[in-house]
Amino acid sequence: MTAQMTRRQFFKVTAGGVASVGLGALGLSPEQVQAATRPFKLERTTEARNICPYCSVSCGVLMYSIGDKAKNVKAEIIHIEGDPDNPVNRGTLCPKGAGLLDMIHSPNRLKYPEVREAGTSEWKRISWDEAITRIATHMRADRDANFQAKNADGVTVNRWQSAGFLASSAASNEAGYLTNKVLRGLGMTAIDTQARI
Ligand code: SF4
């Protein structure tokens, strides 16, 4: 032991050396050891497929939750990684997608519908039923007031241009088809998603 190395440092170095020798003796590379121990971390989890919500690339993710099987522990997502079977990203994620776990557990994450009534500055929680009813009521009133059957030249246009809809580029083909079918059927022309590709 050199004069520069403390007793604690000495034990750290020798412990690391012993560990490396042990793994080497088993014939395993560090990558193989990591691959071998990973299943144990996720052994009791439930795996679910999903899509990263951030951008229009729509990378596939695997989400692992724990706690729901026992029925007496609140389910919690403990790990997220890229889905190797998804043809969009083949298991890769950009830094935003790799940080999804933090977004999910953020105290600022919006988890339910809220409304700020006219004349107030406070947001209040409402049910999904109430939110959908409110949105439908507003849409109906606006469409009734602004729907144009014909333009100034008398040409039939059947359009509703006073409202717009922001859909999702991460939606499936079927959801995208239905979204457009319903909105175009109402005469809406301003439909967009976050896709810029
Ligand atoms: S992982 Fe990155 S590139 Fe992929 S959808 Fe999410 S934000 Fe977009």
Side-chain angles (χ1 to χ4, degrees):
M1 195 184 332
T2 65
Q4 288 77 28
M5 187 179 284
T6 64
R7 181 181 165 83
R8 184 181 292 274
Q9 286 168 331
F10 172 77
F11 280 120
K12 265 190 185 172
V13 170
T14 51
V18 168
S20 302
V21 170
L23 297 177
L26 289 172
L28 297 174
S29 68
E31 290 76 19
Q32 286 172 315
V33 171
Q34 195 177 20
T37 54
R38 183 180 167 281
F40 293 110
K41 176 183 173 185
L42 304 177
E43 195 176 24
R44 292 184 299 114
T45 58
T46 301
E47 179 185 296
R49 287 205 150 85
N50 216 317
I51 302 288
C52 173
Y54 280 130
C55 88
S56 56
V57 177
S58 305
C59 296
V61 295
L62 296 176
M63 309 173 80
Y64 296 88
S65 61
I66 199 163
D68 50 338
K69 283 181 182 165
K71 301 293 182 199
N72 57 356
V73 181
K74 190 169 178 284
E76 185 182 8
I77 296 171
I78 62 160
H79 180 71
I80 296 178
E81 62 187 35
D83 182 354
D85 294 329
N86 190 301
V88 170
N89 56 316
R90 292 286 187 216
T92 62
L93 291 176
C94 81
K96 276 178 76 176
L100 273 176
L101 201 57
D102 291 338
M103 186 271 272
I104 286 175
H105 295 308
S106 167
N108 297 323
R109 181 178 159 214
L110 188 63
K111 297 179 181 169
Y112 38 76
E114 292 183 355
V115 66
R116 184 167 63 81
E117 304 284 14
T120 71
S121 59
E122 299 298 318
W123 289 89
K124 75 170 181 191
R125 181 174 180 172
I126 58 175
S127 69
W128 282 100
D129 277 350
E130 184 179 354
I132 292 169
T133 302
R134 275 175 177 254
I135 291 168
T137 304
H138 285 307
M139 287 175 71
R140 172 69 193 267
D142 188 76
R143 186 174 182 275
D144 285 352
N146 298 296
F147 184 79
Q148 271 186 302
K150 294 185 185 299
N151 67 10
D153 298 326
V155 176
T156 299
V157 288
N158 286 332
R159 65 192 177 198
W160 173 26
Q161 293 187 298
S162 55
F165 194 94
L166 185 64
S168 170
S169 61
S172 65
N173 284 345
E174 292 77 9
Y177 175 84
L178 287 173
T179 303
N180 267 280
K181 198 78 173 167
V182 170
L183 296 175
R184 298 291 184 209
L186 291 170
M188 190 177 280
T189 56
I191 305 171
D192 204 353
T193 72
Q194 77 267 45
R196 290 296 175 268
I197 51 178

